[in-house]
Amino acid sequence: MKVLGINGSSRKNGNTSLIINIVFEELKKRGIETEEIQFAGNVIEPCRGCFACRGKSTCVFKKDSFYSCFEKMKLADGIILGSPVYSADVTANMKAFLERAGVIVATNPSLFKYKVGASITAVRRAGGMTAVDTMNHFFLNKEVIIAGSTYWNMVYGKDVGDIYKDDEGINNMRNLGQNMAWLLKKLHGECDDNEVSLV
């Protein structure tokens, strides 16, 4: 099994990357392969509304990094969407990505059905719930099963590394990784209900 982490941050290897990799650590402990794609340094073009993707299950425009990322998304068993909070929501790149991906999946029903998803955000002060909701809304109407944790999937921090001061947020990310692994294994018939290490 494989989980793809899509990082919408404009800052490479920033706090969003750090929290994605905290979740990844828990997945790797349980034998699940991981890969992170960072949008930093790239521009994701917005959806053109041409609907040329209908029946093709992909976007016909391949000049930006959307195409390669979406192709990996289709192959993944699990998807983590991660974004810092920009203006009380996700980044422009993440929003453009979700719009394009959303149209493709809407015109090719069941493309993501029964994949496991989780949305996470790095937040300085406010807007975290809005960002998580934006990403979860994509999952919810694309038939993706969302993994949850013990609290909202956000970690607080301004400068790179500040997130490690948020003990509750870090523990929440670890628990999210454990829950995501359990759900993936359950869906793939590999989970032993008596396996306490996953609880």
Side-chain angles (χ1 to χ4, degrees):
M1 286 177 286
K2 183 171 182 177
V3 171
L4 180 69
I6 301 171
N7 182 349
S9 179
S10 299
R11 182 166 58 179
K12 191 171 184 179
N13 300 324
N15 285 328
T16 303
S17 182
L18 295 178
I19 61 175
I20 285 173
N21 280 282
I22 290 167
V23 179
F24 277 1
E25 286 172 15
E26 299 302 321
L27 294 169
K28 289 175 188 175
K29 286 178 190 175
R30 291 152 177 84
I32 296 169
E33 187 182 347
T34 63
E35 180 184 358
E36 180 187 9
I37 293 176
Q38 300 192 52
F39 289 162
N42 297 294
V43 174
I44 306 297
E45 296 291 331
C47 181
R48 302 182 189 196
C50 65
F51 294 99
C53 56
R54 185 178 285 116
K56 293 184 175 66
S57 74
T58 194
C59 185
V60 299
F61 297 101
K62 302 177 182 178
K63 290 184 179 179
D64 62 6
S65 56
F66 174 87
Y67 177 81
S68 60
C69 183
F70 189 78
E71 291 303 297
K72 289 184 177 184
M73 207 174 177
K74 289 193 297 186
L75 295 172
D77 302 289
I79 302 161
I80 295 172
L81 296 175
S83 177
V85 173
Y86 282 19
S87 298
D89 208 330
V90 296
T91 62
N93 266 343
M94 179 58 79
K95 189 71 168 72
F97 183 85
L98 294 178
E99 287 175 355
R100 277 172 76 180
V103 170
I104 296 169
V105 182
T107 56
N108 298 274
S110 301
L111 195 60
F112 286 179
K113 191 170 187 174
Y114 303 144
K115 291 185 185 292
V116 174
S119 301
I120 61 177
T121 186
V123 55
R124 183 188 69 82
R125 188 166 182 85
M129 282 303 300
T130 306
V132 169
D133 283 348
T134 294
M135 295 181 284
N136 276 346
H137 289 157
F138 170 82
F139 285 143
L140 284 167
N141 74 2
K142 302 300 179 262
E143 301 181 277
V144 176
I145 301 167
I146 297 176
S149 190
T150 52
Y151 202 62
W152 313 121
N153 294 341
M154 61 186 75
V155 185
Y156 287 85
K158 179 184 177 184
D159 297 323
V160 178
D162 281 353
I163 52 110
Y164 293 119
K165 300 172 188 174
D166 180 4
D167 291 337
E168 182 179 18
I170 296 299
N171 288 333
N172 193 64
M173 292 298 113
R174 289 193 179 116
N175 188 64
L176 177 63
Q178 293 163 18
N179 291 345
M180 196 171 191
W182 181 90
L183 184 53
L184 281 162
K185 287 175 176 282
K186 192 74 171 175
L187 289 170
H188 288 264
E190 297 180 17
C191 183
D192 177 359
D193 285 328
N194 297 316
E195 191 174 353
V196 294
S197 64
L198 289 179
V199 178

